[in-house]
Amino acid sequence: MAAAPIYLDHQASTPCDPAVVAAMAPLWGEDFANPSSRGHRPGLNAALLVDQARESLAAALAIPPHTLVFTSGATEANNLAIKGLCEARLARGRHVITVATEHRAVLDPCRYLERLGLSLTVLPVAADGLLDPAQLEAAIGPSTVLVSVMAANNEIGVLQPLEAIAAICRRHGAAFHCDAAQLVGHQLIKPLELGIDLLSFSGHKFYGPKGIGALVVAEDLELAAQIHGGGQEGGRRSGSLSTPLIVGLATALDLALADAPGRAQRLGQLRDQLWSGLEQLGGICVNGALEPRLAHNLNVSVAGVDGSRLHSGLRRGLAVSGGSACSSASGEPSHVLIALGRSRQEAAASVRFGLGRSTTEEQIKETLAFINQLLAKLR
Ligand SMILES: Cc1ncc(COP(=O)(O)O)c(C=O)c1O
């Protein structure tokens, strides 16, 4: 069998931490009771575990525990935030603002609302991928009910100016939703202190399980449920809670934040090493600002090669992607890179490197040698 490719796609997903797997293990079998079954001891025990996990997550995010709504991940959290907030504020206004480089889990719910008759402004970004707060200031108005801007970009890793955005939203009475799927677990974030009203995140982006995430909903913020049923999560998201996944989410966040500063420092050095090696190969440019950016992300465009040949060559030695996991599935060039001003051809010949806990200096050297050989063949 061929050697396993070097995995550099940690922004698509991270492996579940073995300590997280161990914390979840008994909850699939022996301790399986429904945490809503408060009429018997096994159910009460499950409820206690969910409460403890909620408190631990709340402490990590500096939020009151009841502001956390568990969801199946960031996609669902984004849908709940965007559709739920706009539905609850229909009588107040019908204008939504977002940004061209958002994940499709934000853009698509916004476009869905536009089809239903709401008005949507999609702000452009500068060539470095950053939103200029003056653009938001110019677009926001009395009918704007929601502004949705991500914390860290999933393709180019740039960090948006959240404090400035929050201040503008506050001044205009618009709710601020932030998709923080790529930031939570990698940097400390205190959403309510920053002025964020709604914050989404997903466990598998920080060494937790897939299929679980949450939405932070600021106290007293109106939100219409999008999934109706048994009334779990204060009626904001019905459906039986998954005790193992919730315990896994809380354990993962604890562990991820414990080594986040050291990890960012180490991966930042490896990322810089990767970039300086690639730069020496010539005809390669970085997509997005190098600062402020997630330490574990690098995204480059390679001149003079065809995107599909580049990626079929890369696949033989590396697990990397061209854009987000979702845009690679559609085969379309990344809308994020197009928004930065790259041509379709440049966007297609782009590579996202997502470094992670398992990445070593040896792997970076092997990656550089592999790409060097590949480009010599392709150019
Ligand atoms: C920024 C961002 N938002 C949302 C999502 C969706 O997360 P999930 O697939 O876990 O729902 C992702 C994952 O790719 C992401 O990177």
Side-chain angles (χ1 to χ4, degrees):
M1 203 169 73
I6 298 173
Y7 187 85
L8 290 172
D9 203 12
H10 289 86
Q11 282 186 275
S13 199
T14 54
C16 206
D17 188 314
V20 172
V21 175
M24 293 191 295
L27 307 174
W28 300 112
E30 303 137 57
D31 302 324
F32 64 90
N34 191 324
S36 292
S37 304
R38 291 181 181 241
H40 51 67
R41 194 187 300 264
L44 281 172
N45 285 343
L48 182 65
L49 291 175
V50 168
D51 289 347
Q52 285 169 344
R54 195 187 297 279
E55 276 162 29
S56 155
L57 287 159
L61 296 163
I63 56 167
H66 62 269
T67 60
L68 204 60
V69 177
F70 290 115
T71 64
S72 60
T75 302
E76 189 194 328
N78 289 346
N79 273 266
L80 173 58
I82 294 166
K83 296 177 191 164
L85 188 285
C86 290
E87 188 185 330
R89 287 193 172 175
L90 274 179
R92 196 164 135 185
R94 293 176 176 226
H95 179 223
V96 179
I97 300 178
T98 189
V99 180
T101 49
E102 292 293 309
H103 193 276
R104 283 193 52 192
V106 163
L107 289 173
D108 285 7
C110 288
R111 289 186 187 124
Y112 168 80
L113 291 175
E114 191 182 28
R115 286 198 297 280
L116 293 184
L118 275 76
S119 109
L120 174 66
T121 302
V122 181
L123 297 174
V125 292
D128 61 4
L130 295 172
L131 172 67
D132 177 358
Q135 296 261 3
L136 174 60
E137 188 74 67
I140 202 166
S143 64
T144 310
V145 285
L146 178 73
V147 173
S148 183
V149 183
M150 73 202 322
N153 189 275
N154 50 298
E155 296 190 28
I156 56 175
V158 299
L159 307 176
Q160 296 293 1
L162 301 184
E163 264 185 271
I165 294 164
I168 296 170
C169 293
R170 180 108 334 155
R171 234 180 304 118
H172 290 268
F176 176 22
H177 167 243
C178 179
D179 175 354
Q182 294 289 343
L183 190 85
V184 168
H186 299 280
Q187 289 186 11
L188 200 59
I189 179 166
K190 298 180 177 178
L192 300 182
E193 286 178 24
L194 272 173
I196 295 168
D197 300 299
L198 295 152
L199 182 109
S200 311
F201 62 95
S202 206
H204 69 108
K205 304 293 183 181
F206 52 88
Y207 308 93
K210 291 177 185 56
I212 185 75
L215 179 68
V216 177
V217 185
E219 213 125 23
D220 300 327
L221 190 75
E222 57 276 46
L223 192 76
Q226 300 300 305
I227 296 183
H228 304 94
Q232 289 88 346
E233 297 299 82
R236 294 174 294 188
R237 197 276 192 181
S238 288
S240 294
L241 293 176
S242 168
T243 314
L245 293 180
I246 289 170
V247 167
L249 183 72
T251 311
L253 187 59
D254 248 7
L255 295 170
L257 286 179
D259 76 342
R263 197 168 73 235
Q265 201 195 12
R266 189 178 77 82
L267 297 183
Q269 281 167 3
L270 292 181
R271 188 269 316 272
D272 293 346
Q273 204 172 316
L274 178 61
W275 169 229
S276 80
L278 289 172
E279 206 176 10
Q280 282 167 33
L281 301 181
I284 298 184
C285 64
V286 178
N287 291 313
L290 271 174
E291 275 298 326
R293 186 189 195 104
L294 291 171
H296 57 282
N297 169 280
L298 183 69
N299 188 312
V300 299
S301 288
V302 184
V305 297
D306 170 73
S308 58
R309 289 185 67 213
L310 173 67
H311 280 281
S312 59
L314 287 171
R315 218 167 286 140
R316 283 186 223 117
L318 305 178
V320 287
S321 65
S324 70
C326 318
S327 70
S328 354
S330 74
E332 272 296 297
S334 145
H335 69 278
V336 172
L337 301 181
I338 298 290
L340 302 189
R342 298 283 181 232
S343 65
R344 284 176 72 86
Q345 195 272 328
E346 286 167 334
S350 296
V351 189
R352 172 181 74 175
F353 299 94
L355 284 61
R357 268 189 193 147
S358 59
T359 310
T360 62
E361 189 171 357
E362 197 48 44
Q363 286 182 333
I364 296 298
K365 285 183 183 153
E366 282 175 34
T367 298
L368 283 167
F370 178 78
I371 294 178
N372 189 11
Q373 277 183 358
L374 177 66
L375 293 188
K377 260 189 260 164
L378 293 181
R379 275 176 168 161

